[in-house]
Amino acid sequence: MKENDLTTLNKKVGALEKLNTRMVDAMDSMASITNFQKDVQAAADENQIYEISSEWLKRITPFKFISFFTLNQEMNFELSYIEPKKLREKVEREFQAQLQAGILAWVLNSEKTVPVTPELDEFKGGNQLLMRPLETQEGVIGLFIAQKESVAEDL
């Protein structure tokens, strides 16, 4: 076997081991979902719920960013939470670009997470954006937008 083949196989095995570890961690997180529910129920305000949700999501997989947009009284979306905060302006521009492209209307009519190709160069070259409407029984109250970090297992 050639050295090049061994190197490739070692990389693949390493990536699979990392993926396996992440899956086990994800299953552990899912098994402790009652802890998540307790954390959310104890939250003092909406922002704290976003922080808790963000932390729980990052336990499952690494994200480049996680954001929550909510509808204000004028029925316009506003960015209510972004992690990391330094990407606030870029995520707002991406949101506007998706709105102009007509993608948001499609996502808001979906009942599941929708993978979306980024419009702005800042987010291209990585994973797709993940968009999901935030809903209650009364209807849409917001929008979740995130982008996973590119990791070796994604190759």
Side-chain angles (χ1 to χ4, degrees), residues 96-135:
Q96 290 301 322
Q98 295 292 341
L99 180 65
Q100 295 298 321
I103 301 298
L104 293 184
W106 173 60
V107 169
L108 291 170
N109 286 316
S110 174
E111 294 182 3
K112 59 183 181 176
T113 303
V114 179
V116 175
T117 302
E119 291 286 322
L120 300 181
D121 290 339
E122 290 93 344
F123 301 115
K124 288 184 179 177
N127 288 309
Q128 290 184 306
L129 301 176
L130 301 174
M131 296 185 170
R132 180 170 182 84
L134 302 174
E135 300 177 273

Side-chain angles (χ1 to χ4, degrees), residues 36 40 46-58 63 65-71 76-84 88 91-92 95 130-135 141-147:
F36 171 74
V40 168
E46 188 177 279
N47 198 53
Q48 197 173 16
I49 292 172
Y50 297 142
E51 288 176 26
I52 292 165
S53 300
S54 177
E55 289 305 314
W56 275 83
L57 287 168
K58 288 189 281 187
F63 283 90
F65 74 87
I66 293 176
S67 64
F68 293 93
F69 287 80
T70 53
L71 283 170
N76 294 316
F77 283 99
E78 58 185 34
L79 183 54
S80 298
Y81 179 86
I82 177 72
E83 182 62 40
R88 182 177 196 86
V91 170
E92 286 177 328
F95 174 87
L130 301 174
M131 296 185 170
R132 180 170 182 84
L134 302 174
E135 300 177 273
I141 60 167
L143 184 67
F144 168 81
I145 304 176
Q147 186 177 38

